[in-house]
C-alpha cells in the first residue's frame, strides 16, 4: 500500500466524503444518507453537485480549493 493505493481512506469532512462516494463508487446523491439530508434541508441538487467538483473559492485574498 501507498498514499494512492490503500484500503482505508478518511475524508476531511462529511461533505468531502459525499463527493468522494459520488465520484469513486458511483453513489446516487438521493440514496446517500448525507446527500439526502442536504436535499431535505433545501439545498438544490445542482448546487450540491457543483460543490462536489471542488470549485475554487476566494479565501484570505487568494483563490484556493473549496476542500482545503
Amino acid at each position: 500500500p501507498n498514499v494512492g493505493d490503500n484500503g482505508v481512506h478518511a475524508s476531511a469532512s462529511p461533505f468531502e466524503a459525499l463527493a468522494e462516494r459520488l465520484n469513486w463508487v458511483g453513489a446516487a446523491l438521493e440514496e446517500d444518507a448525507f446527500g439526502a439530508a442536504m436535499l431535505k434541508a433545501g439545498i438544490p441538487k445542482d448546487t450540491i453537485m457543483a460543490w462536489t467538483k471542488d470549485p475554487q473559492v476566494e479565501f484570505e485574498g487568494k483563490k484556493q480549493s473549496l476542500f482545503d
Side-chain angles (χ1 to χ4, degrees):
N2 58 45
V3 172
D5 183 22
N6 60 66
V8 177
H9 176 77
S11 299
S13 71
F15 184 79
E16 190 170 350
L18 168 65
E20 291 168 347
R21 287 190 299 275
L22 295 176
N23 183 41
W24 293 352
V25 297
L29 180 65
E30 298 83 358
E31 295 174 10
D32 182 272
F34 190 72
M38 293 181 73
L39 292 168
K40 187 176 179 182
I43 303 170
K45 181 177 181 176
D46 289 345
T47 299
I48 297 169
M49 296 309 293
W51 290 345
T52 67
K53 306 301 184 236
D54 193 16
Q56 296 290 301
V57 294
E58 190 78 27
F59 181 72
E60 295 183 343
K62 61 181 180 175
K63 288 204 171 204
Q64 67 179 44
S65 164
L66 177 67
F67 293 153
D68 287 341

